[in-house]
Amino acid sequence: MKKGNLIVISGPSGVGKGTVVKALMQRHDKLRFSVSATTRAIRPGEVDGVNYYYITKERFEQMIANDELLEHARYVDNYYGTPAAPVDRLLEEGYDVILEIEVQGALQVKQRRPEAVLIFIAAPSFDELARRLRGRGDTAEDQILQRLETAHTEYSAATSYDYVVVNDYVDEAVDEILAILTAERLKANKQTQILKEANEYAVSPNV
Ligand code: 5GP
């Protein structure tokens, strides 16, 4: 069986990456979401084992020590990380696996798994990002400014990504990500079976 693609999606707070990922999952049935481990508190509406595995700092540090994580990062005073075993199992089963993680973790994945496809979701403009963050109406202005500062750093890191997709309209962003995934599947180094078969074909006269 052909191994699936490891896909990493990042983007600044407020860009709507959660919505894009959700819509993407609905349109690609061989795509699975990697559930991260985190030490942050569970939020209303979230489910343990679905949104995250909510674990203690001690357990998280043990996972780091045991090399159980494909990547991890500290973000706003909490740990976040990707358990490696479930990702590898799904890839072996032929699923594409999506990691929705921040930029420090994404760059670690690229180092450890150079074949990973890194996609950065950007807003149509920085002004629009600020407008979306303020439009939510649930975040204090000082926090919005802090998120915009963080977004600056994130956009700088995005130059190391493979693709940048602008989330103007969700459906179009999803179309573009699906196009990227199709192109990745068609890469010559992922088509070894069909090329090998052609090479090994013994040409003989048709008698
Ligand atoms: P939130 O607390 O709002 O769910 O997530 C905060 C940030 O952590 C988001 O940018 C999210 O993409 C990122 N994140 C979620 N899971 C992981 C993970 O496993 N590793 C890393 N490096 N970042 C993560």
Side-chain angles (χ1 to χ4, degrees):
M1 175 178 298
K2 227 161 131 182
K3 251 184 99 171
N5 283 308
L6 180 57
I7 302 140
V8 178
I9 294 219
S10 312
S13 174
V15 78
K17 53 185 185 300
T19 314
V20 170
V21 168
K22 225 178 184 171
L24 183 63
M25 304 281 302
Q26 283 168 359
R27 287 180 52 192
H28 180 350
D29 56 4
K30 285 224 87 183
L31 184 63
R32 293 290 179 270
F33 183 78
S34 154
V35 180
S36 296
T38 185
T39 58
R40 85 146 161 75
I42 189 164
R43 292 181 188 143
E46 291 184 342
V47 178
D48 190 14
V50 174
N51 302 91
Y52 286 103
Y53 295 107
Y54 302 88
I55 62 174
T56 60
K57 188 166 170 272
E58 290 67 33
R59 171 73 188 115
F60 199 100
E61 286 171 348
Q62 192 182 30
M63 289 179 88
I64 299 175
N66 295 345
D67 201 22
E68 290 175 54
L69 298 172
L70 178 54
E71 60 74 36
H72 69 276
R74 267 191 92 89
Y75 184 88
V76 197
D77 291 338
N78 283 299
Y79 279 125
Y80 293 83
T82 304
V87 170
D88 287 328
R89 195 183 57 238
L90 288 165
L91 290 172
E92 287 297 335
E93 287 169 4
Y95 290 102
D96 285 347
V97 179
I98 195 158
L99 272 51
E100 189 206 314
I101 63 176
E102 52 69 63
V103 295
Q104 306 164 63
L107 298 179
Q108 288 172 40
V109 174
K110 193 71 184 171
Q111 269 196 337
R112 293 182 77 164
R113 306 283 172 91
E115 74 282 8
V117 184
L118 268 56
I119 305 174
F120 188 83
I121 312 279
S125 67
F126 216 81
D127 238 12
E128 172 61 16
L129 182 65
R131 205 186 58 79
R132 286 185 193 175
L133 276 172
R134 293 196 170 99
R136 283 175 169 181
D138 63 355
T139 315
E141 184 60 22
D142 62 331
Q143 275 189 28
I144 288 175
L145 293 179
Q146 201 185 339
R147 288 186 189 183
L148 289 171
E149 284 300 335
T150 306
H152 261 140
T153 320
E154 290 164 335
Y155 273 78
S156 319
T159 53
S160 306
Y161 277 54
D162 299 299
Y163 300 94
V164 174
V165 168
V166 174
N167 182 25
D168 203 349
Y169 299 99
V170 173
D171 284 346
E172 284 179 16
V174 171
D175 286 344
E176 289 178 354
I177 295 172
L178 289 173
I180 292 168
L181 300 185
T182 301
E184 288 293 328
R185 272 196 299 276
L186 299 180
K187 278 196 165 160
N189 63 6
K190 299 223 173 93
Q191 305 264 41
T192 45
Q193 192 54 40
I194 200 152
L195 301 180
K196 187 167 169 258
E197 189 196 345
N199 269 330
E200 288 171 358
Y201 185 86
V203 181
S204 57
N206 193 4
V207 285

